[in-house]
Amino acid sequence: MQLYNKVDKKVLKERLMQEDFKRVTLSFYRYIIIDNPEELRDELFLEWSDLNCFGRIYLAKEGINAQMSVPEHNWEEFKEKLYARREFKDIPFKVAVEDDGKSFYKLIIKVRKNIVADGLKPEDYDVTNIGKHLSAKEWNEAMDNEDTVVIDMRNHYESEVGHFEGAVTPDCDTFREELPMVLKELEDKKDKKVLLYCTGGIRCEKASAYLKHHGYNDVNQLLGGIIDYKRQIDAEGLDNKFIGKNFVFDERLGERISNEVIAHCHQCGKPCDTHTNCNNDDCHLLFIQCEECAEKYDGCCSKTCSDIIKLPVEEQRKLRKNQNKTGEQRNVYKKGRLRPHLDEFVQNGEIIESPLKQKES
């Protein structure tokens, strides 16, 4: 059996839409020494392929970071086989808040240097010396203490659509960028109680160890991240201190935690918190787009991209080939930087070109 997917994504998505059973979307992670991640990667790929699991999983010598979609009828077998492995026994799951079963359409397992790209050296932190994990109830109580500082350990495009009340939300594109920014933010706050949160908890494990290494003693992190916070407040009837949406890294691109819409369409400014990727295959810029602008621009970030997707497929391929020759950069990994420069690129009420593309060309 091949150990990677070779089927076209359009075919895979069609198969997913035709499924007549439910799926469970979940995430989990664990920092633990894995002697041979390459060998484990192949074993897990075979095991999870047999169970018809989808997802994006990263393995490294330091552990595992997984976001997955598991058929409901294979859920118990999936857990049993995972827990049977010594490294992952009783690993805690974070189950999606909102789940239509269409979060992933294929299985990807990659071996990386780190399970979260952080840019840190081994001497920059000790992952065994991390912050205190707080339950949702403890977190709410700590937030009510005015002598605390709450830090969002996610990227700007995540916090833009949802965050905890009063949290510091660094304007960064990556976790690697954010760590030194947070250290700078806290340089005169060593006597404060520091509260860290992220989507599922994995980034806070590194961030809390990083801060403790730099002399911060009262470092705390939200147990299970935003995903498990929602589960806990619902189960225990607690106040919800998170406003807006929780950005997720799968086909859904978000799950609602509260009814407030705190973001705006990057194209017209209307209240909106729906992320999308530009429909132009050579762009795929991640940005926020309302229904009206999605219709106006055919799900694209600009009129130029909208015009391109209407061309015959062969013409689009020629354009991509020419761009590759001239060394022009794609926007696939640039996240939602349309809004700050938008007005410069509007002609007669239409966004002619993505501001990001013109700034980087």
Side-chain angles (χ1 to χ4, degrees):
M1 178 180 179
Q2 65 190 34
L3 299 177
Y4 56 92
N5 171 70
K6 295 181 69 174
V7 182
D8 183 81
K9 70 177 182 180
K10 292 182 179 179
V11 174
L12 293 174
K13 287 185 176 181
E14 288 174 4
R15 289 179 185 174
L16 177 65
M17 297 306 295
Q18 292 171 5
E19 288 183 350
D20 59 358
F21 54 84
K22 293 183 179 179
R23 287 180 170 270
V24 178
T25 298
L26 70 146
S27 61
F28 57 91
Y29 72 89
R30 176 168 285 174
Y31 283 101
I32 190 170
I33 299 300
I34 298 176
D35 294 327
N36 192 334
E38 290 83 5
E39 181 180 317
L40 178 60
R41 181 262 173 212
D42 291 349
E43 291 176 4
L44 290 176
F45 192 94
L46 291 171
E47 186 176 295
W48 289 343
S49 292
D50 286 344
L51 295 174
N52 197 20
C53 296
F54 300 149
R56 186 185 302 112
I57 299 92
Y58 299 128
L59 289 169
K61 289 191 174 182
E62 67 174 4
I64 187 171
N65 178 15
Q67 296 84 42
M68 297 187 67
S69 169
V70 180
E72 199 172 62
H73 56 271
N74 289 334
W75 175 243
E76 292 302 323
E77 186 177 356
F78 167 79
K79 288 196 299 181
E80 181 182 341
K81 288 186 174 181
L82 185 66
Y83 286 170
R85 294 181 178 274
R86 175 189 56 80
E87 309 98 312
F88 308 136
K89 182 174 174 57
D90 297 327
I91 195 169
F93 297 129
K94 272 78 70 176
V95 177
V97 174
E98 294 181 333
D99 190 6
D100 60 2
K102 313 302 180 186
S103 52
F104 295 97
Y105 59 88
K106 64 180 178 180
L107 180 62
I108 300 173
I109 307 180
K110 294 184 177 181
V111 174
R112 289 188 163 181
K113 182 179 179 181
N114 303 102
I115 54 176
V116 175
D118 50 41
L120 298 178
K121 300 175 183 177
E123 60 268 23
D124 291 335
Y125 66 98
D126 177 3
V127 80
T128 65
N129 182 24
I130 60 175
K132 179 183 178 182
H133 291 92
L134 301 182
S135 66
K137 183 174 185 295
E138 292 169 328
W139 178 268
N140 281 1
E141 291 171 352
M143 282 192 66
D144 288 337
N145 185 340
E146 61 182 24
D147 199 35
T148 64
V149 55
V150 183
I151 306 287
D152 191 323
M153 292 308 305
R154 303 172 304 152
N155 304 319
H156 79 92
Y157 54 91
E158 299 173 78
S159 60
E160 182 177 9
V161 295
H163 53 255
F164 277 100
E165 300 168 3
V168 175
T169 56
D171 185 21
C172 60
D173 286 314
T174 66
F175 183 56
R176 181 193 299 261
E177 292 176 6
E178 186 173 21
L179 287 169
M181 293 171 67
V182 169
L183 201 61
K184 180 69 175 177
E185 171 70 26
L186 293 173
E187 64 180 352
D188 59 347
K189 300 179 177 67
K190 285 203 172 182
D191 59 335
K192 298 282 188 179
K193 177 185 284 292
V194 178
L195 305 182
L196 306 175
Y197 72 91
C198 58
T199 308
I202 188 170
R203 283 175 278 190
C204 291
E205 294 285 307
K206 280 282 182 76
S208 65
Y210 178 71
L211 289 179
K212 296 200 77 172
H213 179 78
H214 283 83
Y216 292 84
N217 296 314
D218 197 356
V219 181
N220 306 266
Q221 57 199 87
L222 180 58
L223 178 65
I226 300 162
I227 297 173
D228 206 55
Y229 176 81
K230 173 63 172 173
R231 182 193 65 78
Q232 291 180 60
I233 61 171
D234 286 348
E236 300 174 32
L238 304 173
D239 289 339
N240 181 14
K241 293 183 178 292
F242 188 95
I243 53 175
K245 252 184 182 180
N246 179 33
F247 183 94
V248 291
F249 293 88
D250 57 53
E251 294 293 305
R252 297 170 298 151
L253 293 177
E255 51 187 17
R256 187 154 298 286
I257 306 298
S258 79
N259 291 326
E260 292 97 336
V261 176
I262 66 172
H264 298 83
C265 174
H266 286 170
Q267 293 174 311
C268 72
K270 175 183 176 180
C272 175
D273 56 11
T274 302
H275 274 103
T276 190
N277 287 104
C278 179
N279 269 341
N280 178 8
D281 284 339
D282 199 44
C283 178
H284 281 182
L285 177 73
L286 176 70
F287 67 108
I288 298 173
Q289 185 179 54
C290 68
E291 291 182 1
E292 289 82 356
C293 286
E295 183 176 353
K296 178 178 179 179
Y297 294 101
D298 302 298
C300 293
C301 68
S302 63
K303 187 177 185 300
T304 298
C305 281
S306 177
D307 290 342
I308 288 174
I309 67 169
K310 294 169 186 172
L311 295 173
V313 173
E314 285 304 316
E315 288 296 317
Q316 294 184 45
R317 288 174 179 166
K318 286 180 182 178
L319 282 173
R320 284 198 291 274
K321 187 176 181 180
N322 290 335
Q323 285 179 340
N324 290 336
K325 286 181 179 178
T326 59
E328 290 185 23
Q329 293 182 327
R330 298 179 69 204
N331 292 319
V332 177
Y333 300 107
K334 300 299 180 180
K335 313 295 188 179
R337 292 295 191 180
L338 280 173
R339 190 66 196 158
H341 313 284
L342 194 58
D343 294 341
E344 303 172 33
F345 303 97
V346 175
Q347 295 180 18
N348 299 321
E350 288 190 321
I351 303 169
I352 303 303
E353 186 71 51
S354 162
L356 179 64
K357 293 177 186 175
Q358 295 206 15
K359 283 177 71 62
E360 294 195 344
S361 62

